[in-house]
Amino acid sequence: MNRQLLSYAICVIIAFGYIAGAWAARAAEDGDNSFELLMPLSEQFMTTEQKMIVKHTGTYQSYKNESQFLQIGQQLSQRFQLPVSEDFTRDGDHLLYKTSVQDQPEGIDTSLLWIGFADGTTELIVTAQTTKPNKAAAIRSVQQDMADKLASLHIKPQWNVMIQGIASEAYRTDASPLNDSLRSRLLAQKVEQYEDAGSTSITYYSPLFKERITNGKQDMNLQVAVHRNSVTQQNRITIGIPAITVEY
């Protein structure tokens, strides 16, 4: 993870900290159906070069000093069966413990990022991702395994499920039909929209998804972003439930 993306991730974590409680309290108890609902959209609007991501982000236990921070990070590595790092890094006043495994037999990459803040509080992020769309069943299996390990730590999973890819030929310069499909297929109602140079992000609420969070005013559980490459002029589409927490 490069410094720019890491800073983006930390900003997202801080922003979502205000709504994590509502997310955890209101998420449905039964199985997640996010990938099943998103796959038809990704198959229609994206090329076969897609990335599927499932990520838990939530608070974890506090630490008293740097030695304890490293020790807890190493214990987390062992719990999630990831390589144990012998050190941590710093980003401003944050302590960062990172470990990952890439190119596993099923084509799933997994990673752990534990962030320690200056006041002793922490955030734990565990992520699984694949660039092989035909591995949807495999990444769901990994998600369940991570959920079991989180439960063993008395942590209720707070999942983000995301699919990202280059828009298919018919939508490379105009992805507006995607929003029409979201409304018709997923009964999605627009909550808010944000635009900047080259990117558009739209937040929705759909009754078909179990997860939901609040943006302070109303419920949301689906976010779609379209980013246009300034060189190729192609659109990159990111769909996230209940929100996007990766760079788009």
Side-chain angles (χ1 to χ4, degrees):
M1 180 180 290
N2 61 39
R3 187 180 181 89
Q4 180 181 6
L5 185 53
L6 179 58
S7 298
Y8 175 89
I10 292 174
C11 290
V12 169
I13 290 166
I14 293 171
F16 271 77
Y18 294 105
I19 55 180
W23 183 352
R26 302 179 68 179
E29 296 293 336
D30 50 349
D32 180 78
N33 65 339
S34 301
F35 278 128
E36 285 81 357
L37 290 170
L38 292 186
M39 286 301 294
L41 287 169
S42 66
E43 291 169 356
Q44 177 181 351
F45 289 95
M46 300 179 193
T47 67
T48 56
E49 298 179 7
Q50 301 170 18
K51 179 185 292 185
M52 303 173 65
I53 306 163
V54 59
K55 175 195 294 188
H56 159 83
T57 303
T59 59
Y60 189 50
Q61 69 184 76
S62 59
Y63 68 99
K64 295 181 180 179
N65 52 53
E66 294 183 356
S67 176
Q68 186 184 38
F69 176 82
L70 177 59
Q71 181 182 27
I72 297 172
Q74 293 173 333
Q75 291 170 351
L76 288 169
S77 296
Q78 294 170 342
R79 175 76 65 166
F80 287 91
Q81 298 177 311
L82 293 169
V84 175
S85 176
E86 297 301 323
D87 204 355
F88 60 86
T89 59
R90 291 179 174 83
D91 183 55
D93 61 352
H94 304 110
L95 305 182
L96 308 170
Y97 179 91
K98 298 178 286 184
T99 181
S100 63
V101 171
Q102 297 182 335
D103 197 25
Q104 298 184 76
E106 287 289 344
I108 309 295
D109 299 338
T110 59
S111 65
L112 181 151
L113 171 64
W114 191 41
I115 304 174
F117 299 102
D119 62 357
T121 60
T122 66
E123 291 279 355
L124 174 64
I125 305 171
V126 287
T127 305
Q129 66 180 36
T130 181
T131 55
K132 301 177 180 179
N134 63 337
K135 293 295 183 179
I139 200 168
R140 282 292 306 276
S141 177
V142 172
Q143 180 185 13
Q144 183 58 57
D145 181 65
M146 292 194 302
D148 293 341
K149 289 180 171 63
L150 290 166
S152 72
L153 296 169
H154 307 289
I155 298 173
K156 183 173 182 178
Q158 300 177 32
W159 297 118
N160 281 112
V161 171
M162 292 161 282
I163 300 181
Q164 184 178 72
I166 300 298
S168 55
E169 188 67 35
Y171 308 104
R172 286 201 171 179
T173 58
D174 180 15
S176 58
L178 172 59
N179 298 307
D180 297 333
S181 290
L182 291 170
R183 287 191 289 267
S184 61
R185 291 188 181 188
L186 302 181
L187 308 179
Q189 298 179 349
K190 185 165 71 172
V191 174
E192 61 185 6
Q193 180 169 334
Y194 172 79
E195 295 186 31
D196 62 13
S199 298
T200 299
S201 172
I202 305 177
T203 301
Y204 297 90
Y205 175 78
S206 167
L208 301 185
F209 295 109
K210 303 177 182 70
E211 305 82 359
R212 61 191 185 277
I213 55 180
T214 177
N215 65 355
K217 297 179 181 179
Q218 52 191 317
D219 287 346
M220 56 174 279
N221 59 6
L222 173 64
Q223 189 174 16
V224 178
V226 179
H227 174 76
R228 177 165 294 183
N229 187 302
S230 60
V231 177
T232 65
Q233 297 301 307
Q234 293 180 348
N235 287 319
R236 182 174 66 200
I237 299 172
T238 308
I239 308 174
I241 300 170
I244 296 170
T245 59
V246 296
E247 190 172 30
Y248 54 78

